[in-house]
Amino acid sequence: MHIMEGFLPPAHALGWTAVSLPFLAWGLRSMGRSLQAHPERRMLLGVAAAFAFLLSALKLPSVTGSCSHPTGVGLGALLFGPAAMVPVGFVVLLFQALLMAHGGITTLGANVFSMAIVGPFVSYGVFRAVGALGLSRSVAVFLAACLGDLATYVTTSAQLALAFPDAVGGFQVSFLKFAGIFALTQVPIAISEGLLTVLVVNAMARFNAHELRALPVMSLRAREGT
Protein backbone atom coordinates (compact mmCIF):
# COMPACT_ATOMS: atom_id res chain seq x y z
CA MET A 1 0.00 0.00 0.00
CA HIS A 2 3.02 2.31 0.12
CA ILE A 3 2.13 4.90 -2.52
CA MET A 4 5.39 5.85 -4.16
CA GLU A 5 7.15 9.21 -3.82
CA GLY A 6 5.63 11.94 -6.00
CA PHE A 7 2.79 9.74 -7.27
CA LEU A 8 -0.06 11.76 -5.73
CA PRO A 9 -0.97 15.26 -6.93
CA PRO A 10 0.31 17.90 -4.44
CA ALA A 11 -3.18 18.85 -3.25
CA HIS A 12 -4.00 15.22 -2.42
CA ALA A 13 -0.66 14.68 -0.67
CA LEU A 14 -1.19 17.78 1.47
CA GLY A 15 -4.79 16.85 2.17
CA TRP A 16 -3.96 13.38 3.49
CA THR A 17 -1.18 14.86 5.61
CA ALA A 18 -3.63 17.34 7.13
CA VAL A 19 -6.13 14.56 7.86
CA SER A 20 -3.50 12.34 9.49
CA LEU A 21 -1.87 14.95 11.75
CA PRO A 22 -4.68 15.11 14.39
CA PHE A 23 -4.63 11.30 14.69
CA LEU A 24 -0.85 11.42 15.12
CA ALA A 25 -1.12 13.99 17.91
CA TRP A 26 -3.85 11.93 19.60
CA GLY A 27 -1.78 8.76 19.28
CA LEU A 28 1.32 10.36 20.79
CA ARG A 29 -0.68 11.58 23.76
CA SER A 30 -2.39 8.21 24.24
CA MET A 31 0.87 6.26 23.97
CA GLY A 32 2.64 8.64 26.34
CA ARG A 33 -0.04 8.22 29.00
CA SER A 34 -0.03 4.44 28.61
CA LEU A 35 3.76 4.15 28.94
CA GLN A 36 3.82 6.57 31.85
CA ALA A 37 1.30 4.42 33.68
CA HIS A 38 2.92 1.14 32.60
CA PRO A 39 6.62 1.69 31.76
CA GLU A 40 7.18 -2.06 31.76
CA ARG A 41 5.25 -2.27 28.48
CA ARG A 42 7.92 -0.40 26.47
CA MET A 43 9.64 -3.59 25.38
CA LEU A 44 6.35 -5.11 24.28
CA LEU A 45 5.56 -1.97 22.27
CA GLY A 46 8.99 -2.31 20.65
CA VAL A 47 8.12 -5.88 19.67
CA ALA A 48 4.85 -4.69 18.09
CA ALA A 49 6.70 -1.94 16.19
CA ALA A 50 9.33 -4.40 14.94
CA PHE A 51 6.57 -6.78 13.83
CA ALA A 52 4.92 -4.00 11.80
CA PHE A 53 8.25 -2.85 10.32
CA LEU A 54 9.33 -6.31 9.20
CA LEU A 55 5.99 -7.39 7.74
CA SER A 56 5.32 -4.12 5.92
CA ALA A 57 8.81 -4.20 4.40
CA LEU A 58 8.02 -7.48 2.58
CA LYS A 59 6.64 -5.75 -0.50
CA LEU A 60 5.47 -7.22 -3.79
CA PRO A 61 5.50 -4.87 -6.81
CA SER A 62 2.16 -3.62 -8.07
CA VAL A 63 1.13 -1.90 -11.29
CA THR A 64 -0.92 0.68 -9.41
CA GLY A 65 1.88 3.02 -8.27
CA SER A 66 1.84 1.16 -4.98
CA CYS A 67 2.76 -2.33 -3.71
CA SER A 68 1.34 -5.31 -1.81
CA HIS A 69 2.58 -6.61 1.55
CA PRO A 70 1.35 -7.51 5.05
CA THR A 71 0.90 -4.50 7.35
CA GLY A 72 1.61 -5.96 10.79
CA VAL A 73 -0.31 -3.20 12.59
CA GLY A 74 -3.12 -5.45 13.80
CA LEU A 75 -0.98 -7.02 16.53
CA GLY A 76 -0.07 -3.67 18.10
CA ALA A 77 -3.66 -2.41 17.84
CA LEU A 78 -4.89 -5.41 19.83
CA LEU A 79 -2.17 -5.08 22.47
CA PHE A 80 -2.13 -1.31 22.97
CA GLY A 81 -5.23 0.05 21.24
CA PRO A 82 -5.50 1.64 17.78
CA ALA A 83 -4.37 5.15 18.79
CA ALA A 84 -0.96 3.90 19.92
CA MET A 85 -0.31 2.41 16.48
CA VAL A 86 -0.60 5.79 14.73
CA PRO A 87 2.81 7.10 15.92
CA VAL A 88 4.28 3.60 15.62
CA GLY A 89 3.08 3.34 12.03
CA PHE A 90 4.30 6.86 11.30
CA VAL A 91 7.83 6.00 12.45
CA VAL A 92 7.78 2.70 10.53
CA LEU A 93 6.67 4.41 7.30
CA LEU A 94 9.09 7.31 7.76
CA PHE A 95 12.07 4.98 8.22
CA GLN A 96 11.01 2.87 5.24
CA ALA A 97 10.71 5.98 3.07
CA LEU A 98 14.12 7.35 4.14
CA LEU A 99 16.11 4.11 4.33
CA MET A 100 14.44 1.78 1.82
CA ALA A 101 12.76 4.12 -0.73
CA HIS A 102 9.58 2.27 0.22
CA GLY A 103 6.83 4.87 -0.09
CA GLY A 104 7.81 8.52 0.08
CA ILE A 105 7.87 11.73 2.08
CA THR A 106 5.27 13.53 -0.02
CA THR A 107 2.95 10.50 0.21
CA LEU A 108 3.67 9.84 3.89
CA GLY A 109 0.37 11.36 5.05
CA ALA A 110 -1.66 9.15 2.70
CA ASN A 111 0.29 6.03 3.68
CA VAL A 112 -0.05 6.83 7.39
CA PHE A 113 -3.81 7.26 6.99
CA SER A 114 -4.28 3.87 5.30
CA MET A 115 -1.83 1.70 7.26
CA ALA A 116 -1.45 3.43 10.64
CA ILE A 117 -4.97 4.80 11.12
CA VAL A 118 -7.59 2.83 9.15
CA GLY A 119 -5.88 -0.58 9.56
CA PRO A 120 -5.44 -0.46 13.37
CA PHE A 121 -8.91 1.00 14.02
CA VAL A 122 -10.59 -1.64 11.85
CA SER A 123 -8.55 -4.40 13.51
CA TYR A 124 -9.47 -3.23 17.01
CA GLY A 125 -13.14 -2.78 16.09
CA VAL A 126 -13.36 -6.25 14.54
CA PHE A 127 -11.60 -7.77 17.55
CA ARG A 128 -14.04 -6.23 20.01
CA ALA A 129 -17.07 -7.10 17.84
CA VAL A 130 -16.04 -10.73 17.41
CA GLY A 131 -15.25 -10.97 21.12
CA ALA A 132 -18.71 -9.65 21.95
CA LEU A 133 -20.21 -12.46 19.88
CA GLY A 134 -18.59 -15.01 22.18
CA LEU A 135 -16.16 -16.46 19.65
CA SER A 136 -12.69 -17.58 20.65
CA ARG A 137 -9.66 -15.33 20.98
CA SER A 138 -7.94 -17.03 18.05
CA VAL A 139 -10.89 -16.36 15.73
CA ALA A 140 -11.08 -12.75 16.92
CA VAL A 141 -7.34 -12.18 16.40
CA PHE A 142 -7.39 -13.81 12.94
CA LEU A 143 -10.34 -11.77 11.68
CA ALA A 144 -8.98 -8.57 13.22
CA ALA A 145 -5.55 -8.86 11.59
CA CYS A 146 -6.93 -10.13 8.27
CA LEU A 147 -9.69 -7.52 7.88
CA GLY A 148 -7.47 -4.70 9.16
CA ASP A 149 -4.98 -5.61 6.41
CA LEU A 150 -7.70 -5.63 3.74
CA ALA A 151 -9.16 -2.34 5.02
CA THR A 152 -5.76 -0.72 4.52
CA TYR A 153 -5.78 -1.72 0.85
CA VAL A 154 -9.39 -0.67 0.32
CA THR A 155 -8.36 2.75 1.65
CA THR A 156 -5.33 2.89 -0.64
CA SER A 157 -7.57 1.99 -3.59
CA ALA A 158 -9.90 4.86 -2.65
CA GLN A 159 -6.97 7.26 -2.30
CA LEU A 160 -5.65 6.35 -5.75
CA ALA A 161 -9.14 6.50 -7.29
CA LEU A 162 -9.68 9.98 -5.84
CA ALA A 163 -6.39 11.14 -7.31
CA PHE A 164 -6.86 9.42 -10.67
CA PRO A 165 -10.58 9.03 -11.48
CA ASP A 166 -11.53 7.17 -14.64
CA ALA A 167 -12.10 9.45 -17.62
CA VAL A 168 -15.55 7.94 -18.21
CA GLY A 169 -16.71 6.26 -15.00
CA GLY A 170 -15.09 8.61 -12.51
CA PHE A 171 -14.17 7.55 -8.96
CA GLN A 172 -16.31 4.41 -8.85
CA VAL A 173 -14.82 2.77 -11.94
CA SER A 174 -11.30 3.79 -10.96
CA PHE A 175 -11.78 2.40 -7.44
CA LEU A 176 -12.97 -0.94 -8.80
CA LYS A 177 -9.91 -1.13 -11.05
CA PHE A 178 -7.43 -0.39 -8.24
CA ALA A 179 -9.22 -2.65 -5.74
CA GLY A 180 -9.42 -5.45 -8.29
CA ILE A 181 -5.68 -5.34 -8.88
CA PHE A 182 -4.94 -5.33 -5.15
CA ALA A 183 -7.42 -8.14 -4.45
CA LEU A 184 -5.42 -10.60 -6.57
CA THR A 185 -2.42 -10.38 -4.26
CA GLN A 186 -3.77 -8.94 -1.03
CA VAL A 187 -6.42 -11.51 -0.10
CA PRO A 188 -3.95 -14.40 0.37
CA ILE A 189 -1.49 -12.02 2.06
CA ALA A 190 -4.19 -10.84 4.49
CA ILE A 191 -5.14 -14.43 5.34
CA SER A 192 -1.47 -15.25 5.96
CA GLU A 193 -1.08 -12.20 8.18
CA GLY A 194 -4.14 -13.25 10.18
CA LEU A 195 -2.75 -16.74 10.76
CA LEU A 196 0.70 -15.41 11.69
CA THR A 197 -0.80 -12.94 14.16
CA VAL A 198 -2.74 -15.75 15.85
CA LEU A 199 0.49 -17.74 16.26
CA VAL A 200 2.31 -14.72 17.73
CA VAL A 201 -0.50 -13.85 20.16
CA ASN A 202 -0.84 -17.46 21.33
CA ALA A 203 2.93 -17.70 21.84
CA MET A 204 2.97 -14.44 23.80
CA ALA A 205 0.05 -15.62 25.92
CA ARG A 206 1.82 -18.87 26.66
CA PHE A 207 5.23 -17.46 27.58
CA ASN A 208 4.36 -13.97 28.86
CA ALA A 209 0.85 -14.34 30.27
CA HIS A 210 1.51 -12.26 33.38
CA GLU A 211 2.45 -9.11 31.45
CA LEU A 212 -0.30 -9.57 28.91
CA ARG A 213 -3.05 -10.21 31.41
CA ALA A 214 -4.07 -6.54 31.67
CA LEU A 215 -4.04 -5.96 27.89
CA PRO A 216 -7.23 -5.98 25.75
CA VAL A 217 -6.27 -9.10 23.82
CA MET A 218 -6.27 -11.17 27.01
CA SER A 219 -9.88 -10.32 27.85
CA LEU A 220 -10.94 -13.25 25.68
CA ARG A 221 -8.63 -15.76 27.29
CA ALA A 222 -11.45 -17.48 29.17
CA ARG A 223 -12.97 -18.57 25.87
CA GLU A 224 -9.67 -20.19 25.01
CA GLY A 225 -9.85 -22.26 28.16
CA THR A 226 -6.62 -20.74 29.58
Side-chain angles (χ1 to χ4, degrees), residues 70-97:
T71 65
V73 296
L75 175 65
L78 302 187
L79 296 176
F80 296 99
M85 288 310 291
V86 181
V88 169
F90 170 79
V91 172
V92 165
L93 290 165
L94 178 62
F95 277 19
Q96 290 176 345

Side-chain angles (χ1 to χ4, degrees), residues 89-162:
F90 170 79
V91 172
V92 165
L93 290 165
L94 178 62
F95 277 19
Q96 290 176 345
L98 293 175
L99 303 177
M100 305 168 65
H102 194 176
I105 298 301
T106 62
T107 55
L108 185 60
N111 291 331
V112 166
F113 186 81
S114 59
M115 193 181 96
I117 296 174
V118 173
F121 276 88
V122 169
S123 290
Y124 191 77
V126 169
F127 178 76
R128 302 309 302 180
V130 174
L133 293 175
L135 301 179
S136 71
R137 185 182 65 214
S138 293
V139 172
V141 169
F142 170 77
L143 291 176
C146 180
L147 295 180
D149 179 301
L150 289 176
T152 295
Y153 282 83
V154 170
T155 303
T156 301
S157 299
Q159 291 171 325
L160 293 171
L162 282 171

